[in-house]
Amino acid sequence: MNASRTGVMGATRNGVIRASRVGVILRPRRDTAALVNPGVATAAFPATTTKVPSPRRAGVRPVAFRPVQTPTSAWLPSAPCTPRLCLESTGSMASVPRAVLRLATLLSVLTFGIVLIPVVGRIPAAPRDRLIRTWCRTIVRAAGVRLRITGDTPPAGGLLVVANHISWMDIPLLAAVRPGRMIAKAEIRQWPVAGALTASSGALFIERDRLRALPRTVERIADTLRDGSTMVVFPEGSTWCGRAQGYFRRAVFQAALDAGVPVQPVRIHYRLDGGAESTAPAFVGSDSLLTSVWRVVSARSLVAELDLRPVLAPGDHADRRDLAHAAQGGLRSPGPHAHPYGA
């Protein structure tokens, strides 16, 4: 045997190859999320380590490695964003009194609106939508966030509104433009305040780990759109920090095709009043709702920008894949400057 190979196969004696104690190192497959958001690939791996089982008789020494974490379902997407890597600190001790005041005001506005929901529900559609828009803008302002809206006025009638997803703040922001029913994960029902608020708005709750329920969910969305209502959906299926985005899931666009209604893409962006991009409102990873809310009310000069992109008319796209691609393609970069709508 060539001496250069004895380090791998072991030394020979009387023509018999003896296995040496060779360490085995397993490298995890590179996660594709790193290509979307470089520098956060480690977020795909759990904090604990697992040892590779191997027979001791073979003389192989187990070496620790970190396996790739795979989702339990194709409809349970997860972003590589984490609080430690993506979120910025916004507050200081000097900002605590202001944050406490904003938080108290925010809770008061939310409570007032929730109490009046049964009454508002009996009001005709047009004045009801105006009240909801006013209330949601008050929520945004109470949190210390300024709202700027640009783009075309949403058309009347059935409409599917799709947007990138960054924060819990996205919900009142979109309702400030066009109130509508939302698609929400079933876990939101258990959230304090936000759960009751979402349920009272007529949201369609879905169990994302049940693939069999997906066709029925698409049918329910299509029926709602046919009735002339607005559906608000975040097709990414998960929140991202805002510096990167996920890909739009296609199923919801089938509902728009079945109902024959237009699609309104909306780009959500958060920044500081000075122009710098901000991840303070992001609600990602292990971040708790209370922590995210506190980060928002602690921020100074935070601006939420909604850019209403051109409406995608029904019939202009052959299938849901083409429609989803067109909707997301318009959100990848800032659009042209447009006249302010309802700002």
Side-chain angles (χ1 to χ4, degrees):
M1 174 175 291
N2 193 311
S4 64
R5 298 181 62 185
T6 58
V8 177
M9 299 300 297
T12 61
R13 177 179 294 179
N14 298 327
V16 179
I17 298 177
R18 299 177 58 193
S20 63
R21 298 174 67 85
V22 180
V24 177
I25 301 177
L26 301 182
R27 298 184 182 276
R29 183 176 59 188
R30 170 176 282 187
D31 188 74
T32 54
L35 303 178
V36 179
N37 194 5
V40 296
T42 53
F45 307 127
T48 58
T49 59
T50 306
K51 289 188 176 182
V52 182
S54 58
R56 295 185 180 275
R57 294 181 181 179
V60 179
R61 180 177 300 170
V63 180
F65 80 108
R66 294 186 176 187
V68 175
Q69 185 178 10
T70 57
T72 57
S73 166
W75 291 98
L76 286 173
S78 60
C81 306
T82 65
R84 182 176 63 86
L85 295 174
C86 301
L87 304 188
E88 60 201 32
S89 176
T90 60
S92 62
M93 291 303 297
S95 66
V96 171
R98 180 182 65 241
V100 171
L101 179 60
R102 287 177 176 175
L103 184 59
T105 305
L106 177 61
L107 292 176
S108 299
V109 173
L110 285 171
T111 303
F112 180 76
I114 292 174
V115 170
L116 291 182
I117 282 177
V119 178
V120 174
R122 298 186 178 94
I123 299 176
R128 180 178 67 239
D129 285 352
R130 286 196 296 270
L131 286 174
I132 293 175
R133 286 197 298 267
T134 301
W135 179 47
C136 289
R137 295 185 186 201
T138 305
I139 290 174
V140 174
R141 192 56 186 161
V145 180
R146 294 176 60 188
L147 174 59
R148 292 179 182 172
I149 306 172
T150 59
D152 299 326
T153 303
L159 179 68
L160 178 65
V161 177
V162 296
N164 59 305
H165 201 10
I166 300 174
S167 171
W168 54 271
M169 180 65 73
D170 301 345
I171 298 173
L173 287 177
L174 291 174
V177 175
R178 179 70 176 266
R181 302 183 67 180
M182 304 198 69
I183 299 294
K185 59 184 180 181
E187 297 89 328
I188 293 182
R189 285 182 182 270
Q190 309 303 322
W191 289 6
V193 182
L197 182 61
T198 305
S200 62
S201 67
L204 297 179
F205 291 99
I206 61 172
E207 298 180 12
R208 299 187 302 166
D209 56 346
R210 293 184 58 200
L211 288 178
R212 293 181 179 180
L214 182 60
R216 176 54 185 159
T217 300
V218 173
E219 291 178 8
R220 293 172 63 191
I221 297 173
D223 290 341
T224 302
L225 294 172
R226 289 190 189 98
D227 291 339
S229 300
T230 300
M231 290 296 307
V232 180
V233 184
F234 302 110
E236 289 170 310
S238 180
T239 51
W240 289 64
C241 68
R243 291 174 178 159
Q245 294 181 14
Y247 291 97
F248 279 6
R249 308 285 159 161
R250 300 190 294 265
V252 68
F253 293 93
Q254 185 62 50
L257 292 174
D258 293 344
V261 301
V263 176
Q264 173 86 69
V266 179
R267 182 177 184 266
I268 302 174
H269 182 66
Y270 295 94
R271 67 177 181 85
L272 300 179
D273 198 22
E277 186 178 43
S278 176
T279 62
F283 182 32
V284 297
S286 59
D287 208 14
S288 68
L289 179 60
L290 182 58
T291 301
S292 180
V293 172
W294 181 258
R295 196 165 50 245
V296 170
V297 298
S298 300
R300 188 173 184 177
S301 302
L302 191 61
V303 178
E305 296 179 338
L306 266 66
D307 188 1
L308 280 61
R309 298 302 171 89
V311 173
L312 305 177
D316 288 351
H317 301 275
D319 53 33
R320 62 185 183 184
R321 179 177 183 178
D322 187 29
L323 184 56
H325 181 74
Q328 185 169 22
L331 304 185
R332 286 297 185 182
S333 59
H337 293 290
H339 66 275
Y341 160 69

